[in-house]
Amino acid sequence: MSNGWFESVAEAQRRARKRLPSFVYGALVAGSERGNTLRDNRAAFDELGFAPRTAGQSDKRELETRVLGQRMSLPVIISPTGVQAVHPDGEVAVARAAAARGVAVGLSSFATKPVEEVVAANPRTFFQMYWLGGRDDMLRRIERARRAGAVGLIVTLDWSFSHGRDWGSPRIPQRLTVAEALRLAPGSVTRPRWLLAYARTGRLPDLTVPNMAEAGAPAPTFFGAYGQWLATPPPTWEDVRWLRERWDGPFLLKGVLRVDEAKRAVDAGVSAISVSNHGGNNVDGAPATIRALPSIAEAVGDQVEVLLDGGVRRGGDVVKALALGARAVMIGRAYLWGLAANGQAGVENVLDILRGGIDSTLRGIGRSSVHELDRSDVVIPPGFERALGVAETEPAAVARETATPRILAEVND
């Protein structure tokens, strides 16, 4: 279509691949090591089916919900992703798209746009933090987010940034200097629309991270901030509790895959958890998030809000996650492909696709609201679930001990 509209997230991905230089696109689709977890995030959704109803459906369906205190037009949140070099407007375009479609946005500490600009574009902005630097450093970032007007905090713990990728990981430079631009030129000139978009701004893609800048100091590069993260000892549960006590608003802990850790998160006082494996970019071999979701939602879903991220590509995927206990899902690659394909309008397009898919799935299974969904709406094959961190004496462990290993198909994410 003349306006660049597309009808599926798969088409957005195809256009993104066609538009982006290989070193940019490769960074979007990469996963740790062999990519087993990356592929399973997607493949696991395909193993689940639906139990449709054929008559008596409501002619109107309710998609609205409330997540972390925010009223949302659909149960989808923009997940924070760093260094959005797929489009010059980056996180600001994404925030505007989310605001236009009535959903919240997460902003990464490693974003290329400052939190103040993103909050101005979408007042429903959650600021994401890694455990990085000392406690004084953490407090400075919290205060900046608070002053900017962020409505909540996302603390991400599911990241180890594996360099070992069997298919090769694209090199990301410290700064995109003229020399680096010349080195990357062969891959860029074959993608003239991406290059032209940046040429019109009069600047090269920015690989600095302004939300990590100290007062009066220049913003560090992505890898400068990454180096500081590497030098920081991993947080303890006491650190999580300490950080939560310094933020009096909604607090989401991202990266939980185990029941015992979900319970520790509740004890630490978090408002919500996201069942996450960082989109397959943490430990390769971790289960797909949708496999781990049911046992976690069953254990703590009555105490905190449970979200899910990883592998969501269709409205039907959102419905499956909600049926298995999630309050909402977070999307990452899907909206980045939309951003690459058509800027802000492309992100809005992706959200509209998910909205349409949720609505049509609800109609097909005879539900009038996302709040009515439960396990009876999905067909779960034997051995599908993975209950991690459950004592062997607990019923959930016994119920799931029939889970059998399976060979992951070599499919593209």
Side-chain angles (χ1 to χ4, degrees):
M1 297 175 65
S2 60
N3 64 358
W5 199 254
F6 43 85
E7 296 185 356
S8 69
V9 172
E11 174 62 15
Q13 181 181 5
R14 188 192 70 81
R15 295 190 190 187
R17 184 171 190 171
K18 187 175 181 180
R19 184 184 185 99
L20 296 174
S22 60
F23 56 88
V24 178
Y25 180 78
L28 289 185
V29 298
S32 296
E33 298 182 351
R34 290 196 70 240
N36 289 325
T37 296
L38 174 75
R39 289 187 293 273
D40 196 32
N41 273 349
R42 178 63 242 147
F45 273 108
D46 292 340
E47 291 182 26
L48 294 169
F50 288 113
R53 296 174 176 86
T54 54
Q57 296 97 328
S58 170
D59 61 346
K60 294 181 180 179
R61 286 156 296 282
E62 179 190 16
L63 273 60
E64 285 191 4
T65 190
R66 185 172 289 274
V67 184
L68 289 165
Q70 301 299 310
R71 186 176 179 181
M72 310 270 287
S73 67
L74 67 160
V76 176
I77 295 177
I78 298 292
S79 188
T81 58
V83 191
Q84 293 179 7
V86 302
H87 191 278
D89 294 335
E91 295 86 359
V92 171
V94 173
R96 288 172 178 159
R101 294 301 185 261
V103 300
V105 62
L107 177 70
S108 173
S109 290
F110 286 4
T112 57
K113 303 295 183 185
V115 61
E116 293 81 5
E117 290 185 19
V118 175
V119 172
N122 188 338
R124 285 181 285 189
T125 295
F126 290 83
F127 185 67
Q128 178 270 345
M129 296 175 61
Y130 294 101
W131 187 262
L132 190 157
R135 287 189 171 187
D136 288 344
D137 298 316
M138 303 290 286
L139 286 175
R140 280 193 293 270
R141 292 179 206 120
I142 286 177
E143 287 306 315
R144 179 175 176 181
R146 183 178 286 117
R147 290 194 304 270
V151 296
L153 207 63
I154 299 173
V155 176
T156 300
L157 300 184
D158 60 331
W159 189 46
S160 58
F161 201 84
S162 170
H163 290 280
R165 306 179 192 276
D166 286 13
W167 54 86
S169 185
R171 175 186 168 187
I172 303 175
Q174 280 275 8
R175 293 182 183 275
L176 197 52
T177 62
V178 173
E180 283 288 349
L182 289 173
R183 182 183 68 81
L184 298 171
S188 301
V189 295
T190 59
R191 299 293 187 267
R193 288 184 296 170
W194 178 83
L195 199 59
L196 181 60
Y198 276 98
R200 287 170 175 162
T201 69
R203 65 182 189 275
L204 295 169
D206 190 358
L207 299 183
T208 60
V209 287
N211 295 307
M212 295 297 298
E214 302 296 343
T221 65
F222 170 86
F223 278 109
Y226 170 60
Q228 187 182 8
W229 173 79
L230 278 177
T232 303
T236 64
W237 283 107
E238 182 55 38
D239 290 326
V240 174
R241 179 185 295 276
W242 173 86
L243 190 59
R244 202 296 172 247
E245 290 172 350
R246 268 77 191 161
W247 180 267
D248 56 4
F251 185 106
L252 168 66
L253 187 69
K254 184 174 180 292
V256 177
L257 281 175
R258 299 171 57 96
V259 170
D260 52 0
E261 290 207 325
K263 293 177 179 178
R264 295 292 296 271
V266 171
D267 292 342
V270 307
S271 312
I273 59 175
S274 182
V275 180
S276 173
N277 52 40
H278 212 90
N281 275 287
N282 196 21
V283 178
D284 197 28
T289 53
I290 191 67
R291 298 186 193 279
L293 171 66
S295 59
I296 292 173
E298 180 182 355
V300 301
D302 59 343
Q303 301 170 75
V304 295
E305 296 178 18
V306 177
L307 285 72
L308 173 138
D309 67 80
V312 175
R313 302 289 185 270
R314 301 180 178 89
D317 299 336
V318 180
V319 172
K320 290 172 182 177
L322 268 58
L324 294 183
R327 173 71 64 89
V329 304
M330 305 177 78
I331 60 170
R333 290 181 177 91
Y335 79 80
L336 288 174
W337 291 328
L339 179 65
N342 200 21
Q344 177 182 334
V347 181
E348 293 174 6
N349 194 158
V350 166
L351 291 170
D352 288 343
I353 289 167
L354 294 179
R355 178 190 300 279
I358 296 168
D359 183 78
S360 62
T361 303
L362 288 178
R363 177 167 181 167
I365 61 177
R367 295 297 193 186
S368 61
S369 170
V370 293
H371 303 289
E372 296 177 355
L373 294 164
D374 60 36
R375 287 176 66 100
S376 68
D377 295 309
V378 291
V379 179
I380 308 171
F384 175 83
E385 299 178 41
R386 303 290 186 270
L388 308 183
V390 177
E392 287 301 319
T393 56
E394 293 187 29
V398 176
R400 296 177 176 89
E401 65 184 4
T402 57
T404 56
R406 63 188 199 86
I407 299 174
L408 295 176
E410 295 289 337
V411 296
N412 291 324
D413 181 56

PDB file of all heavy atoms in Angstrom, residues 277-313:
ATOM      1  N   ASN A 277      13.218 -14.291  29.508  1.00  0.00           N
ATOM      2  CA  ASN A 277      14.590 -14.761  29.311  1.00  0.00           C
ATOM      3  C   ASN A 277      15.354 -13.794  28.411  1.00  0.00           C
ATOM      4  O   ASN A 277      16.277 -14.173  27.705  1.00  0.00           O
ATOM      5  CB  ASN A 277      14.611 -16.190  28.750  1.00  0.00           C
ATOM      6  CG  ASN A 277      13.747 -16.337  27.496  1.00  0.00           C
ATOM      7  OD1 ASN A 277      13.711 -15.470  26.631  1.00  0.00           O
ATOM      8  ND2 ASN A 277      13.036 -17.456  27.391  1.00  0.00           N
ATOM      9  N   HIS A 278      14.947 -12.537  28.437  1.00  0.00           N
ATOM     10  CA  HIS A 278      15.570 -11.450  27.670  1.00  0.00           C
ATOM     11  C   HIS A 278      15.538 -11.746  26.170  1.00  0.00           C
ATOM     12  O   HIS A 278      16.485 -11.502  25.439  1.00  0.00           O
ATOM     13  CB  HIS A 278      17.008 -11.211  28.130  1.00  0.00           C
ATOM     14  CG  HIS A 278      17.426  -9.766  28.018  1.00  0.00           C
ATOM     15  ND1 HIS A 278      17.263  -8.869  29.041  1.00  0.00           N
ATOM     16  CD2 HIS A 278      17.996  -9.065  27.005  1.00  0.00           C
ATOM     17  CE1 HIS A 278      17.716  -7.682  28.671  1.00  0.00           C
ATOM     18  NE2 HIS A 278      18.150  -7.773  27.438  1.00  0.00           N
ATOM     19  N   GLY A 279      14.409 -12.277  25.728  1.00  0.00           N
ATOM     20  CA  GLY A 279      14.257 -12.550  24.305  1.00  0.00           C
ATOM     21  C   GLY A 279      15.246 -13.550  23.763  1.00  0.00           C
ATOM     22  O   GLY A 279      15.617 -13.495  22.580  1.00  0.00           O
ATOM     23  N   GLY A 280      15.681 -14.493  24.600  1.00  0.00           N
ATOM     24  CA  GLY A 280      16.668 -15.474  24.167  1.00  0.00           C
ATOM     25  C   GLY A 280      18.086 -14.966  24.226  1.00  0.00           C
ATOM     26  O   GLY A 280      18.998 -15.601  23.687  1.00  0.00           O
ATOM     27  N   ASN A 281      18.298 -13.840  24.891  1.00  0.00           N
ATOM     28  CA  ASN A 281      19.630 -13.252  24.987  1.00  0.00           C
ATOM     29  C   ASN A 281      20.241 -13.386  26.366  1.00  0.00           C
ATOM     30  O   ASN A 281      21.165 -12.640  26.706  1.00  0.00           O
ATOM     31  CB  ASN A 281      19.582 -11.771  24.587  1.00  0.00           C
ATOM     32  CG  ASN A 281      19.683 -11.597  23.098  1.00  0.00           C
ATOM     33  OD1 ASN A 281      20.737 -11.774  22.500  1.00  0.00           O
ATOM     34  ND2 ASN A 281      18.564 -11.254  22.477  1.00  0.00           N
ATOM     35  N   ASN A 282      19.738 -14.311  27.155  1.00  0.00           N
ATOM     36  CA  ASN A 282      20.368 -14.588  28.445  1.00  0.00           C
ATOM     37  C   ASN A 282      21.045 -15.957  28.337  1.00  0.00           C
ATOM     38  O   ASN A 282      21.920 -16.137  27.501  1.00  0.00           O
ATOM     39  CB  ASN A 282      19.331 -14.518  29.564  1.00  0.00           C
ATOM     40  CG  ASN A 282      19.971 -14.399  30.931  1.00  0.00           C
ATOM     41  OD1 ASN A 282      21.116 -13.990  31.066  1.00  0.00           O
ATOM     42  ND2 ASN A 282      19.231 -14.748  31.960  1.00  0.00           N
ATOM     43  N   VAL A 283      20.667 -16.913  29.124  1.00  0.00           N
ATOM     44  CA  VAL A 283      21.291 -18.230  29.100  1.00  0.00           C
ATOM     45  C   VAL A 283      20.615 -19.096  28.044  1.00  0.00           C
ATOM     46  O   VAL A 283      19.424 -19.394  28.154  1.00  0.00           O
ATOM     47  CB  VAL A 283      21.194 -18.903  30.482  1.00  0.00           C
ATOM     48  CG1 VAL A 283      21.805 -20.298  30.440  1.00  0.00           C
ATOM     49  CG2 VAL A 283      21.882 -18.054  31.537  1.00  0.00           C
ATOM     50  N   ASP A 284      21.362 -19.494  27.020  1.00  0.00           N
ATOM     51  CA  ASP A 284      20.774 -20.358  26.004  1.00  0.00           C
ATOM     52  C   ASP A 284      20.487 -21.723  26.611  1.00  0.00           C
ATOM     53  O   ASP A 284      21.330 -22.314  27.297  1.00  0.00           O
ATOM     54  CB  ASP A 284      21.726 -20.500  24.816  1.00  0.00           C
ATOM     55  CG  ASP A 284      21.016 -21.038  23.596  1.00  0.00           C
ATOM     56  OD1 ASP A 284      19.803 -20.806  23.464  1.00  0.00           O
ATOM     57  OD2 ASP A 284      21.681 -21.698  22.761  1.00  0.00           O
ATOM     58  N   GLY A 285      19.305 -22.235  26.351  1.00  0.00           N
ATOM     59  CA  GLY A 285      18.857 -23.476  26.969  1.00  0.00           C
ATOM     60  C   GLY A 285      17.816 -23.250  28.038  1.00  0.00           C
ATOM     61  O   GLY A 285      17.213 -24.206  28.532  1.00  0.00           O
ATOM     62  N   ALA A 286      17.585 -21.985  28.413  1.00  0.00           N
ATOM     63  CA  ALA A 286      16.468 -21.680  29.306  1.00  0.00           C
ATOM     64  C   ALA A 286      15.168 -21.956  28.554  1.00  0.00           C
ATOM     65  O   ALA A 286      15.105 -21.840  27.330  1.00  0.00           O
ATOM     66  CB  ALA A 286      16.522 -20.222  29.748  1.00  0.00           C
ATOM     67  N   PRO A 287      14.103 -22.321  29.262  1.00  0.00           N
ATOM     68  CA  PRO A 287      12.851 -22.631  28.567  1.00  0.00           C
ATOM     69  C   PRO A 287      12.192 -21.381  28.008  1.00  0.00           C
ATOM     70  O   PRO A 287      12.458 -20.251  28.445  1.00  0.00           O
ATOM     71  CB  PRO A 287      11.982 -23.244  29.672  1.00  0.00           C
ATOM     72  CG  PRO A 287      12.503 -22.643  30.935  1.00  0.00           C
ATOM     73  CD  PRO A 287      13.986 -22.495  30.726  1.00  0.00           C
ATOM     74  N   ALA A 288      11.339 -21.598  27.035  1.00  0.00           N
ATOM     75  CA  ALA A 288      10.495 -20.509  26.542  1.00  0.00           C
ATOM     76  C   ALA A 288       9.679 -19.949  27.702  1.00  0.00           C
ATOM     77  O   ALA A 288       9.255 -20.687  28.594  1.00  0.00           O
ATOM     78  CB  ALA A 288       9.564 -21.028  25.449  1.00  0.00           C
ATOM     79  N   THR A 289       9.444 -18.662  27.671  1.00  0.00           N
ATOM     80  CA  THR A 289       8.754 -18.028  28.794  1.00  0.00           C
ATOM     81  C   THR A 289       7.322 -18.525  28.950  1.00  0.00           C
ATOM     82  O   THR A 289       6.832 -18.659  30.075  1.00  0.00           O
ATOM     83  CB  THR A 289       8.763 -16.502  28.629  1.00  0.00           C
ATOM     84  OG1 THR A 289       8.233 -16.156  27.331  1.00  0.00           O
ATOM     85  CG2 THR A 289      10.174 -15.960  28.748  1.00  0.00           C
ATOM     86  N   ILE A 290       6.648 -18.821  27.837  1.00  0.00           N
ATOM     87  CA  ILE A 290       5.264 -19.280  27.939  1.00  0.00           C
ATOM     88  C   ILE A 290       5.197 -20.655  28.610  1.00  0.00           C
ATOM     89  O   ILE A 290       4.184 -21.005  29.212  1.00  0.00           O
ATOM     90  CB  ILE A 290       4.602 -19.310  26.543  1.00  0.00           C
ATOM     91  CG1 ILE A 290       3.077 -19.514  26.645  1.00  0.00           C
ATOM     92  CG2 ILE A 290       5.225 -20.362  25.655  1.00  0.00           C
ATOM     93  CD1 ILE A 290       2.337 -18.361  27.260  1.00  0.00           C
ATOM     94  N   ARG A 291       6.288 -21.433  28.568  1.00  0.00           N
ATOM     95  CA  ARG A 291       6.321 -22.721  29.261  1.00  0.00           C
ATOM     96  C   ARG A 291       6.450 -22.520  30.774  1.00  0.00           C
ATOM     97  O   ARG A 291       5.914 -23.303  31.560  1.00  0.00           O
ATOM     98  CB  ARG A 291       7.501 -23.558  28.765  1.00  0.00           C
ATOM     99  CG  ARG A 291       7.467 -23.917  27.300  1.00  0.00           C
ATOM    100  CD  ARG A 291       8.597 -24.877  26.953  1.00  0.00           C
ATOM    101  NE  ARG A 291       8.770 -25.011  25.521  1.00  0.00           N
ATOM    102  CZ  ARG A 291       8.029 -25.794  24.735  1.00  0.00           C
ATOM    103  NH1 ARG A 291       7.053 -26.514  25.270  1.00  0.00           N
ATOM    104  NH2 ARG A 291       8.263 -25.871  23.445  1.00  0.00           N
ATOM    105  N   ALA A 292       7.188 -21.500  31.185  1.00  0.00           N
ATOM    106  CA  ALA A 292       7.410 -21.245  32.609  1.00  0.00           C
ATOM    107  C   ALA A 292       6.283 -20.452  33.249  1.00  0.00           C
ATOM    108  O   ALA A 292       6.141 -20.440  34.481  1.00  0.00           O
ATOM    109  CB  ALA A 292       8.736 -20.506  32.805  1.00  0.00           C
ATOM    110  N   LEU A 293       5.484 -19.769  32.429  1.00  0.00           N
ATOM    111  CA  LEU A 293       4.450 -18.864  32.950  1.00  0.00           C
ATOM    112  C   LEU A 293       3.423 -19.534  33.863  1.00  0.00           C
ATOM    113  O   LEU A 293       3.139 -19.014  34.950  1.00  0.00           O
ATOM    114  CB  LEU A 293       3.743 -18.179  31.777  1.00  0.00           C
ATOM    115  CG  LEU A 293       2.494 -17.363  32.124  1.00  0.00           C
ATOM    116  CD1 LEU A 293       2.853 -16.158  32.989  1.00  0.00           C
ATOM    117  CD2 LEU A 293       1.769 -16.920  30.845  1.00  0.00           C
ATOM    118  N   PRO A 294       2.805 -20.661  33.484  1.00  0.00           N
ATOM    119  CA  PRO A 294       1.686 -21.177  34.292  1.00  0.00           C
ATOM    120  C   PRO A 294       2.042 -21.436  35.745  1.00  0.00           C
ATOM    121  O   PRO A 294       1.275 -21.073  36.652  1.00  0.00           O
ATOM    122  CB  PRO A 294       1.289 -22.465  33.561  1.00  0.00           C
ATOM    123  CG  PRO A 294       1.730 -22.260  32.158  1.00  0.00           C
ATOM    124  CD  PRO A 294       3.009 -21.483  32.265  1.00  0.00           C
ATOM    125  N   SER A 295       3.181 -22.068  36.015  1.00  0.00           N
ATOM    126  CA  SER A 295       3.527 -22.396  37.397  1.00  0.00           C
ATOM    127  C   SER A 295       3.808 -21.129  38.211  1.00  0.00           C
ATOM    128  O   SER A 295       3.484 -21.054  39.398  1.00  0.00           O
ATOM    129  CB  SER A 295       4.737 -23.326  37.435  1.00  0.00           C
ATOM    130  OG  SER A 295       5.854 -22.740  36.804  1.00  0.00           O
ATOM    131  N   ILE A 296       4.397 -20.124  37.574  1.00  0.00           N
ATOM    132  CA  ILE A 296       4.677 -18.868  38.280  1.00  0.00           C
ATOM    133  C   ILE A 296       3.380 -18.118  38.562  1.00  0.00           C
ATOM    134  O   ILE A 296       3.164 -17.618  39.670  1.00  0.00           O
ATOM    135  CB  ILE A 296       5.660 -18.015  37.464  1.00  0.00           C
ATOM    136  CG1 ILE A 296       7.034 -18.691  37.434  1.00  0.00           C
ATOM    137  CG2 ILE A 296       5.759 -16.603  38.029  1.00  0.00           C
ATOM    138  CD1 ILE A 296       8.038 -18.011  36.525  1.00  0.00           C
ATOM    139  N   ALA A 297       2.498 -18.043  37.562  1.00  0.00           N
ATOM    140  CA  ALA A 297       1.219 -17.356  37.764  1.00  0.00           C
ATOM    141  C   ALA A 297       0.399 -18.046  38.845  1.00  0.00           C
ATOM    142  O   ALA A 297      -0.263 -17.393  39.668  1.00  0.00           O
ATOM    143  CB  ALA A 297       0.437 -17.309  36.451  1.00  0.00           C
ATOM    144  N   GLU A 298       0.436 -19.370  38.871  1.00  0.00           N
ATOM    145  CA  GLU A 298      -0.299 -20.124  39.891  1.00  0.00           C
ATOM    146  C   GLU A 298       0.260 -19.843  41.283  1.00  0.00           C
ATOM    147  O   GLU A 298      -0.476 -19.744  42.265  1.00  0.00           O
ATOM    148  CB  GLU A 298      -0.208 -21.608  39.582  1.00  0.00           C
ATOM    149  CG  GLU A 298      -0.937 -22.511  40.571  1.00  0.00           C
ATOM    150  CD  GLU A 298      -0.779 -23.978  40.255  1.00  0.00           C
ATOM    151  OE1 GLU A 298      -0.181 -24.309  39.211  1.00  0.00           O
ATOM    152  OE2 GLU A 298      -1.248 -24.806  41.062  1.00  0.00           O
ATOM    153  N   ALA A 299       1.587 -19.684  41.380  1.00  0.00           N
ATOM    154  CA  ALA A 299       2.229 -19.516  42.683  1.00  0.00           C
ATOM    155  C   ALA A 299       2.062 -18.114  43.253  1.00  0.00           C
ATOM    156  O   ALA A 299       1.873 -17.955  44.467  1.00  0.00           O
ATOM    157  CB  ALA A 299       3.716 -19.860  42.575  1.00  0.00           C
ATOM    158  N   VAL A 300       2.140 -17.068  42.403  1.00  0.00           N
ATOM    159  CA  VAL A 300       2.176 -15.695  42.940  1.00  0.00           C
ATOM    160  C   VAL A 300       1.191 -14.748  42.268  1.00  0.00           C
ATOM    161  O   VAL A 300       1.154 -13.560  42.609  1.00  0.00           O
ATOM    162  CB  VAL A 300       3.603 -15.106  42.829  1.00  0.00           C
ATOM    163  CG1 VAL A 300       4.606 -15.959  43.581  1.00  0.00           C
ATOM    164  CG2 VAL A 300       4.028 -14.925  41.365  1.00  0.00           C
ATOM    165  N   GLY A 301       0.402 -15.246  41.330  1.00  0.00           N
ATOM    166  CA  GLY A 301      -0.475 -14.362  40.573  1.00  0.00           C
ATOM    167  C   GLY A 301      -1.537 -13.663  41.394  1.00  0.00           C
ATOM    168  O   GLY A 301      -2.094 -12.652  40.954  1.00  0.00           O
ATOM    169  N   ASP A 302      -1.822 -14.176  42.593  1.00  0.00           N
ATOM    170  CA  ASP A 302      -2.792 -13.510  43.457  1.00  0.00           C
ATOM    171  C   ASP A 302      -2.128 -12.476  44.368  1.00  0.00           C
ATOM    172  O   ASP A 302      -2.809 -11.817  45.160  1.00  0.00           O
ATOM    173  CB  ASP A 302      -3.549 -14.532  44.305  1.00  0.00           C
ATOM    174  CG  ASP A 302      -2.634 -15.361  45.200  1.00  0.00           C
ATOM    175  OD1 ASP A 302      -1.407 -15.385  44.944  1.00  0.00           O
ATOM    176  OD2 ASP A 302      -3.139 -15.989  46.152  1.00  0.00           O
ATOM    177  N   GLN A 303      -0.795 -12.328  44.248  1.00  0.00           N
ATOM    178  CA  GLN A 303      -0.067 -11.394  45.108  1.00  0.00           C
ATOM    179  C   GLN A 303       0.570 -10.250  44.321  1.00  0.00           C
ATOM    180  O   GLN A 303       0.703  -9.141  44.831  1.00  0.00           O
ATOM    181  CB  GLN A 303       1.032 -12.139  45.877  1.00  0.00           C
ATOM    182  CG  GLN A 303       0.489 -13.267  46.762  1.00  0.00           C
ATOM    183  CD  GLN A 303       1.606 -14.122  47.301  1.00  0.00           C
ATOM    184  OE1 GLN A 303       2.326 -13.717  48.219  1.00  0.00           O
ATOM    185  NE2 GLN A 303       1.776 -15.315  46.750  1.00  0.00           N
ATOM    186  N   VAL A 304       1.012 -10.523  43.108  1.00  0.00           N
ATOM    187  CA  VAL A 304       1.600  -9.498  42.249  1.00  0.00           C
ATOM    188  C   VAL A 304       1.074  -9.687  40.835  1.00  0.00           C
ATOM    189  O   VAL A 304       0.562 -10.756  40.486  1.00  0.00           O
ATOM    190  CB  VAL A 304       3.148  -9.558  42.231  1.00  0.00           C
ATOM    191  CG1 VAL A 304       3.734  -9.234  43.590  1.00  0.00           C
ATOM    192  CG2 VAL A 304       3.628 -10.911  41.725  1.00  0.00           C
ATOM    193  N   GLU A 305       1.210  -8.662  40.018  1.00  0.00           N
ATOM    194  CA  GLU A 305       0.849  -8.802  38.614  1.00  0.00           C
ATOM    195  C   GLU A 305       1.945  -9.581  37.897  1.00  0.00           C
ATOM    196  O   GLU A 305       3.132  -9.337  38.103  1.00  0.00           O
ATOM    197  CB  GLU A 305       0.673  -7.422  37.977  1.00  0.00           C
ATOM    198  CG  GLU A 305      -0.478  -6.639  38.578  1.00  0.00           C
ATOM    199  CD  GLU A 305      -0.630  -5.252  37.975  1.00  0.00           C
ATOM    200  OE1 GLU A 305      -0.081  -5.014  36.874  1.00  0.00           O
ATOM    201  OE2 GLU A 305      -1.291  -4.402  38.607  1.00  0.00           O
ATOM    202  N   VAL A 306       1.539 -10.521  37.060  1.00  0.00           N
ATOM    203  CA  VAL A 306       2.487 -11.345  36.312  1.00  0.00           C
ATOM    204  C   VAL A 306       2.371 -10.989  34.833  1.00  0.00           C
ATOM    205  O   VAL A 306       1.289 -11.066  34.251  1.00  0.00           O
ATOM    206  CB  VAL A 306       2.218 -12.845  36.524  1.00  0.00           C
ATOM    207  CG1 VAL A 306       3.179 -13.689  35.683  1.00  0.00           C
ATOM    208  CG2 VAL A 306       2.348 -13.207  37.999  1.00  0.00           C
ATOM    209  N   LEU A 307       3.489 -10.582  34.248  1.00  0.00           N
ATOM    210  CA  LEU A 307       3.552 -10.281  32.823  1.00  0.00           C
ATOM    211  C   LEU A 307       4.439 -11.310  32.146  1.00  0.00           C
ATOM    212  O   LEU A 307       5.119 -12.103  32.812  1.00  0.00           O
ATOM    213  CB  LEU A 307       4.099  -8.869  32.581  1.00  0.00           C
ATOM    214  CG  LEU A 307       3.160  -7.696  32.862  1.00  0.00           C
ATOM    215  CD1 LEU A 307       2.935  -7.482  34.351  1.00  0.00           C
ATOM    216  CD2 LEU A 307       3.706  -6.411  32.237  1.00  0.00           C
ATOM    217  N   LEU A 308       4.449 -11.290  30.824  1.00  0.00           N
ATOM    218  CA  LEU A 308       5.292 -12.203  30.052  1.00  0.00           C
ATOM    219  C   LEU A 308       5.890 -11.457  28.881  1.00  0.00           C
ATOM    220  O   LEU A 308       5.239 -10.609  28.254  1.00  0.00           O
ATOM    221  CB  LEU A 308       4.470 -13.391  29.549  1.00  0.00           C
ATOM    222  CG  LEU A 308       5.203 -14.337  28.579  1.00  0.00           C
ATOM    223  CD1 LEU A 308       4.900 -15.791  28.911  1.00  0.00           C
ATOM    224  CD2 LEU A 308       4.845 -14.044  27.118  1.00  0.00           C
ATOM    225  N   ASP A 309       7.158 -11.741  28.586  1.00  0.00           N
ATOM    226  CA  ASP A 309       7.726 -11.280  27.325  1.00  0.00           C
ATOM    227  C   ASP A 309       8.533 -12.402  26.702  1.00  0.00           C
ATOM    228  O   ASP A 309       9.017 -13.296  27.382  1.00  0.00           O
ATOM    229  CB  ASP A 309       8.564 -10.016  27.512  1.00  0.00           C
ATOM    230  CG  ASP A 309       9.834 -10.236  28.315  1.00  0.00           C
ATOM    231  OD1 ASP A 309      10.819 -10.719  27.735  1.00  0.00           O
ATOM    232  OD2 ASP A 309       9.846  -9.902  29.507  1.00  0.00           O
ATOM    233  N   GLY A 310       8.640 -12.359  25.371  1.00  0.00           N
ATOM    234  CA  GLY A 310       9.393 -13.377  24.651  1.00  0.00           C
ATOM    235  C   GLY A 310       8.548 -14.130  23.646  1.00  0.00           C
ATOM    236  O   GLY A 310       7.687 -14.924  24.030  1.00  0.00           O
ATOM    237  N   GLY A 311       8.751 -13.854  22.354  1.00  0.00           N
ATOM    238  CA  GLY A 311       8.117 -14.636  21.305  1.00  0.00           C
ATOM    239  C   GLY A 311       6.752 -14.182  20.848  1.00  0.00           C
ATOM    240  O   GLY A 311       6.161 -14.813  19.966  1.00  0.00           O
ATOM    241  N   VAL A 312       6.214 -13.097  21.390  1.00  0.00           N
ATOM    242  CA  VAL A 312       4.861 -12.648  21.019  1.00  0.00           C
ATOM    243  C   VAL A 312       4.905 -12.011  19.634  1.00  0.00           C
ATOM    244  O   VAL A 312       5.622 -11.040  19.409  1.00  0.00           O
ATOM    245  CB  VAL A 312       4.313 -11.651  22.047  1.00  0.00           C
ATOM    246  CG1 VAL A 312       2.971 -11.093  21.591  1.00  0.00           C
ATOM    247  CG2 VAL A 312       4.185 -12.317  23.413  1.00  0.00           C
ATOM    248  N   ARG A 313       4.133 -12.557  18.711  1.00  0.00           N
ATOM    249  CA  ARG A 313       4.093 -12.058  17.337  1.00  0.00           C
ATOM    250  C   ARG A 313       2.666 -11.817  16.826  1.00  0.00           C
ATOM    251  O   ARG A 313       2.484 -11.181  15.798  1.00  0.00           O
ATOM    252  CB  ARG A 313       4.764 -13.060  16.375  1.00  0.00           C
ATOM    253  CG  ARG A 313       6.214 -13.373  16.706  1.00  0.00           C
ATOM    254  CD  ARG A 313       7.139 -12.199  16.405  1.00  0.00           C
ATOM    255  NE  ARG A 313       8.526 -12.573  16.624  1.00  0.00           N
ATOM    256  CZ  ARG A 313       9.170 -12.433  17.780  1.00  0.00           C
ATOM    257  NH1 ARG A 313       8.534 -11.929  18.832  1.00  0.00           N
ATOM    258  NH2 ARG A 313      10.434 -12.782  17.898  1.00  0.00           N
TER     259      ARG A 313
END
